[in-house]
Amino acid sequence: MQKAREHWSSHLGFILVAAGSAIGLGTLWKFPYVTGENGGGLFVIIYIACTFLIGLPVFIAELIIGRAAQRGAVGSFAFLSHNQTFWKGVGWLGVLSSFLIMSFYSVLAGWGMNYVFMSLTQFWEGRTPAEISQAFTILSSSGDITLFWHLAFTALTVAVVLPGIRQGIEYWSRFMTSSLFVILLGLVCYSFTLEGFGKAFNFLFSPDASRLTAKGVLQALGLSFFTLSLGQGIMITYGSYMRKSDNIPRTGVIIAVTITVISMLVGLMIFPIIFTFGFQPEEGLGLVFKTLPVLFSKLPGALIISTTFFILFVFTALTSSIALVEVVSANFIDLLGWSRRKAVLVVGISCFIFGIPSALSNTDLVFANWKLVYGKTFFSTIDELVSTWFLPLCGLLTAIYVGWFFDRKQVEHEYRSGTNTIRFFRPWIFFVKWVAPIAVITIILNTAGVINLDGGQKEVEQEMEVETVSRS
Ligand code: TRP
């Protein structure tokens, strides 16, 4: 028999936990770096549109599946679809994505831990901005140091997850999420005074179609799924811990708005540094580590600010990684009957081992020719595979499931329980049934080159560029 599940102690508690899992390195690290690579403006608009038009409906759909089925991701799909292999497969794909994300997430968070210590030694003293940012290049190509922190962070996560969900997660999330918000606001105010602020603002908010590629659109979609923690059954599992009186749609809106606001704040904090100190927006995945210490070094109390920031960076990563390990383990506990201890330890150790090539991806210690063969590092390969392909695919199938296969009455019942604003039910189900699937399929086909939404305009522009270059 299915055991009665634990439930969150309060509605606010749930929102904070969901926010804690959602706000993480996606907003702090991935948003600025992917935005920089895709030329800002239009990418940001598409990212926000994806968050609200596709992400939010899918977010609500996942919570509904979980609360209706009272099980984890795979279990929910199995239960609701009467054990159909295909839908169970969708659940497992989500679990696999979480596992893969955790494997590189801990490498990143590990670098963050390292920056806490670097901040304590005030490593920026006597260095130029270029030299300060160079420190990251050195760090990421030092396999042993990166590996050490990767291990430290994975161990920390396991240590928090082992005691159980409530003490483990809720306790940490509340305080950390709000502190992060405060320090971000402070730093944005400072960035506002930098001379590059105007340029940064323009870069972020004025749409410039020439800088965005078809792949960029898919990346924007993937980013919104990554930051909302969708397409992995995470929200299905969280939904199963919600009470019938909790308001699902409102929770979704709050999380989507919070994520968007924080992403914008992070953008407004980082891009002025880039334009003021002569960095490039396309700096790549080290962007946060390369730019922020430069800003900190200019501030009075650099030691305290930099250390506090990176501590918060690590803690927000921790609230996300806890959720990642928790949810992957929960599926093993539910389905294979493992003890909690065994599941968490096996998941933690496997994530560590699978993360080793990511940790060493800027060295030639393992898979030395990976980049030559595949055109990107092992780290980026895994990141891209999951964020750009698995998450949108899984999100698409989740939307299709709820829109087309899930009993409509049950969906409506679950949506209504806990909320008074039922007038959004119809628009929501319309989005889940039609808009999200069509949009995701279109974006994927566009990226694969099967259809061409630009109408060939890019190619014409490129040809013209080639001509001008060859003439001059
Ligand atoms: N949303 C998290 C972030 O922005 C990352 C993430 C992706 C995540 N999937 C998750 C966190 C699953 C917790 C659970 O950093």
Side-chain angles (χ1 to χ4, degrees), residues 182-197:
V182 173
I183 197 163
L184 268 182
L185 275 180
L187 289 170
V188 171
C189 291
Y190 186 77
S191 278
F192 183 69
T193 66
L194 295 175
E195 55 174 302
F197 187 85

Side-chain angles (χ1 to χ4, degrees), residues 20-30 97-98 101 105 223 225-230 232 234-235 238 259 316-317 319-325 327 391:
S21 101
I23 301 164
L25 303 184
T27 35
L28 286 177
W29 154 80
K30 203 175 184 46
S97 300
S98 294
I101 290 179
Y105 214 80
L223 177 65
F225 276 72
F226 188 93
T227 50
L228 288 171
S229 313
L230 295 179
Q232 303 149 69
I234 298 280
M235 291 305 151
Y238 275 18
I259 286 288
T316 40
T319 50
S320 296
S321 67
I322 290 168
L324 285 162
V325 170
V327 168
L391 302 188

Side-chain angles (χ1 to χ4, degrees), residues 225-304:
F225 276 72
F226 188 93
T227 50
L228 288 171
S229 313
L230 295 179
Q232 303 149 69
I234 298 280
M235 291 305 151
I236 296 184
T237 310
Y238 275 18
S240 73
Y241 299 132
M242 283 179 99
R243 294 165 308 180
K244 293 287 177 198
S245 57
D246 287 338
N247 187 332
I248 288 187
R250 197 181 61 190
T251 307
V253 173
I254 293 177
I255 303 286
V257 170
T258 314
I259 286 288
T260 310
V261 170
I262 299 214
S263 302
M264 296 307 117
L265 286 179
V266 171
L268 288 174
M269 164 179 79
I270 288 190
F271 285 95
I273 312 176
I274 295 174
F275 292 107
T276 307
F277 298 101
F279 296 114
Q280 295 303 320
E282 302 87 12
E283 210 67 51
L285 67 83
L287 189 68
V288 183
F289 300 108
K290 288 178 175 176
T291 51
L292 280 177
V294 175
L295 175 71
F296 298 148
S297 71
K298 307 277 172 204
L299 294 173
L303 171 70
I304 296 173

